[in-house]
Amino acid sequence: MAIHYFCRHCGTKLGTLEEKSVHTEQLGFHKLNDEERHDMISYDISGDMSVKAICEDCQESLERNPDFHQQDFLIH
């Protein structure tokens, strides 16, 4: 099972973990509520996991322009 991280705002691939077994506590997923898990984590038919996170560029854009929080996608 691979865990793929993508930016939720621009779609940039942030990285991949190629682990055979990982506990949710190691990844911090246990701190998410059900709604956050549903919004951030998805699985494909091969069993790989995709996680929506935020890249540094989008984080900086959001810090400079707080009104961008209302947007689903940001363009750099």
Side-chain angles (χ1 to χ4, degrees):
M1 169 181 87
I3 304 169
H4 306 282
Y5 286 84
F6 296 92
C7 180
R8 69 172 44 258
H9 297 288
C10 68
T12 299
K13 186 168 187 174
L14 303 173
T16 298
L17 295 174
E18 295 284 349
E19 297 292 328
K20 300 287 185 222
S21 175
V22 178
H23 296 284
T24 59
E25 291 83 16
Q26 292 174 295
L27 301 172
F29 295 160
H30 66 290
K31 295 184 178 186
L32 302 174
N33 64 37
D34 289 339
E35 184 179 334
E36 291 167 330
R37 279 182 196 248
H38 181 67
D39 183 45
M40 294 178 65
I41 302 170
S42 62
Y43 297 87
D44 65 18
I45 45 179
S46 67
D48 287 354
M49 180 187 297
S50 291
V51 180
K52 294 179 187 174
I54 187 168
C55 70
E56 291 179 15
D57 291 335
C58 287
Q59 181 64 37
E60 288 177 14
S61 293
L62 289 167
E63 289 172 0
R64 286 191 309 269
N65 303 288
D67 56 315
F68 284 177
H69 282 279
Q70 299 172 13
Q71 307 299 317
D72 289 333
F73 296 96
L74 302 177
I75 300 174
H76 302 288

